[in-house]
Amino acid sequence: MDSVNFENILPLIASCHYDGVDGLFEANLEKAVYWYTKAAEQGDAESQYQLGYFYENGAGVSEDLEKALFWYEKAADQG
């Protein structure tokens, strides 16, 4: 039996909460931040970048430039 790759599931869930999906998810930045954080902690560069953006702009979280820089640097380290 082939193993299932769940690597992209967390960022997908985050994106669904960020954008909203008719009939499934309403747009909710706080939930998006939660799921992007889970994905970022597992090394997803796009999620790390997205968190940098959220913290830089106070979107769904309190503005925190130190955290923004932290997540931007994590993403940049991966190219």
Side-chain angles (χ1 to χ4, degrees):
M1 177 178 196
D2 293 333
S3 64
V4 178
N5 183 353
F6 290 103
E7 181 177 303
N8 295 320
I9 295 296
L10 295 177
L12 178 60
I13 294 169
S15 178
C16 288
H17 283 292
Y18 179 72
D19 295 325
V21 177
D22 289 338
L24 295 175
F25 296 101
E26 290 187 29
N28 183 316
L29 285 179
E30 290 81 15
K31 287 183 179 181
V33 168
Y34 173 83
W35 289 107
Y36 277 124
T37 300
K38 294 291 186 189
E41 289 170 345
Q42 292 185 9
D44 182 72
E46 183 61 34
S47 296
Q48 293 166 345
Y49 176 84
Q50 194 66 43
L51 284 174
Y53 174 84
F54 288 151
Y55 280 109
E56 178 182 8
N57 294 288
V61 293
S62 297
E63 184 179 297
D64 187 327
L65 296 181
E66 285 184 36
K67 285 184 180 180
L69 182 60
F70 172 81
W71 286 116
Y72 281 142
E73 286 179 341
K74 293 286 252 185
D77 287 346
Q78 296 187 69

